[in-house]
DNA sequence: CAAAATTAAATTGTGCACAATCTAATTTTG
DNA sequence: CAAAATTAGATTGTGCACAATTTAATTTTG
């Protein structure tokens, strides 16, 4: 096999590994506020705008209802969100932050700093990683 | 929140997204040979050296026994590998390729090309992504 | 307007990923 | 050498991730 052909594998594995590694860095920090990384992503989407439908959240995070429905039910159990079908279209479930869910935002503001610290990577490298990653995602999706 | 603090989140989400996206690109291609991406990784490790212990595989792929044991049992069910405890140390399980498992290597040689095609990303960008990703992994692990 | 098509979530089923615990075997050490 | 510590996997339980199917509601269209 030529090096060129092997390259795909040689890139994909590190990306897969890095994603797991990053989530592992978040894990203990998020655990203190009783969230998983995907739950944290959902909460961040809601902190930006406190009422959104399931599909709006899914679109922003690239997650389908099979993933979101049980995750959202867990957030509901934790009293961080409410789930309510819309009167105007009963197929649509509106997810809204509870006061507790909204308040968690403050505590969460400390997370990026702690993660950055835990990752121990320079701004320059983080920016480089962000730039190339976003570029590749855009290409894949197009 | 300063931009600096937000950066961690702004990097982690794309990496998490890209990893999923990449696996999604592999999925239909690997499905033709009845493998998932993590199963493919294990097979690649074994194609390099056809008998290895569970922990050796786990070390190379950063996966623990809770992940590998059921995955390896599925590969065993598919007759791609065998699992046998070592006589010299009964705690150790030796994983070995079956002839079928070894033969699958040939079919698998086509995969990187097809994935590269599917990703539709230039060699330069792939190399850049590989370089920065590996650099960051190394830093995180140290 | 009613049948057909579409849409939004939920459900079901499979397969990771990983923490925590358990079991059995081997090493270490007093 | 026997008790203690360590090691290698297996098991259990929780939580994604996603395909495929189902259900119920809404839109479209003949």
């Amino acid at each position: 096999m030529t090096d060129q052909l092997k390259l795909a594998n040689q890139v994909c594995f590190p990306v897969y590994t890095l994603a797991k590694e990053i989530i592992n860095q978040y894990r203990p920090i998020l655990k203190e506020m009783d969230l998983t990384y995907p739950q944290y992503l959902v909460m961040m989407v809601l902190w930006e705008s406190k009422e959104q439908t399931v599909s709006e959240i899914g679109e922003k995070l690239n997650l389908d209802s099979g993933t979101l429905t049980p995750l959202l039910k867990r957030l509901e159990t934790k009293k961080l969100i409410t789930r309510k079908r819309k009167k105007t279209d009963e197929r649509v479930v509106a997810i809204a932050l509870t006061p507790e869910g909204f308040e968690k935002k403050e505590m969460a503001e400390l997370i990026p700093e702690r993660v950055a610290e835990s990752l121990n990577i320079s701004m320059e490298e983080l920016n480089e990683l962000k730039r190339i990653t976003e570029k590749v995602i855009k290409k894949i999706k197009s």
Side-chain angles (χ1 to χ4, degrees), chain A residues 116 119-128:
Chain A
L119 289 174
N120 194 31
I121 299 176
S122 73
M123 281 266 293
E124 290 70 28
E125 284 167 331
L126 284 179
N127 270 316
E128 195 183 350

Side-chain angles (χ1 to χ4, degrees), chain A residues 99-114:
Chain A
E100 295 96 309
F102 185 75
E103 278 163 27
K104 231 179 170 97
K105 184 177 183 180
E106 265 183 61
M107 195 175 162
E109 308 248 328
L110 302 168
I111 291 173
E113 187 176 16
R114 294 190 55 194

Side-chain angles (χ1 to χ4, degrees), chain A residues 2-141:
Chain A
T2 67
D3 286 352
Q4 186 174 355
L5 294 187
K6 269 166 127 177
L7 186 57
N9 279 338
Q10 287 174 358
V11 177
C12 297
F13 179 63
V15 172
Y16 155 83
T17 301
L18 181 57
K20 288 193 303 170
E21 209 60 60
I22 284 178
I23 291 178
N24 287 342
Q25 299 288 319
Y26 270 97
R27 200 185 313 279
I29 296 166
L30 287 174
K31 192 172 188 181
E32 291 174 25
M33 47 189 299
D34 191 30
L35 290 175
T36 64
Y37 184 67
Q39 286 168 14
Y40 172 57
L41 293 178
V42 168
M43 291 303 288
M44 281 202 293
V45 166
L46 290 169
W47 286 324
E48 284 291 319
S49 163
K50 69 175 188 285
E51 176 159 342
Q52 294 183 61
T53 68
V54 173
S55 57
E56 281 167 349
I57 296 169
E59 213 162 301
K60 286 170 188 164
L61 300 179
N62 306 296
L63 295 172
D64 74 3
S65 69
T67 302
L68 283 176
T69 297
L71 186 158
L72 292 168
K73 283 180 178 173
R74 283 186 283 274
L75 290 179
E76 188 185 29
T77 302
K78 295 179 197 176
K79 314 255 186 236
L80 298 178
I81 65 163
T82 59
R83 299 164 63 249
K84 199 152 63 176
R85 287 195 181 270
K86 282 204 169 163
K87 285 244 171 70
T88 51
D89 187 340
E90 293 272 0
R91 294 169 305 180
V92 178
V93 173
I95 304 299
L97 283 179
T98 60
E100 295 96 309
F102 185 75
E103 278 163 27
K104 231 179 170 97
K105 184 177 183 180
E106 265 183 61
M107 195 175 162
E109 308 248 328
L110 302 168
I111 291 173
E113 187 176 16
R114 294 190 55 194
V115 169
E117 202 176 290
S118 157
L119 289 174
N120 194 31
I121 299 176
S122 73
M123 281 266 293
E124 290 70 28
E125 284 167 331
L126 284 179
N127 270 316
E128 195 183 350
L129 181 60
K130 175 169 145 68
R131 189 187 54 74
I132 181 71
T133 306
E134 284 175 343
K135 192 170 167 188
V136 170
I137 289 172
K138 196 175 272 184
K139 277 214 174 177
I140 289 181
K141 287 198 169 177

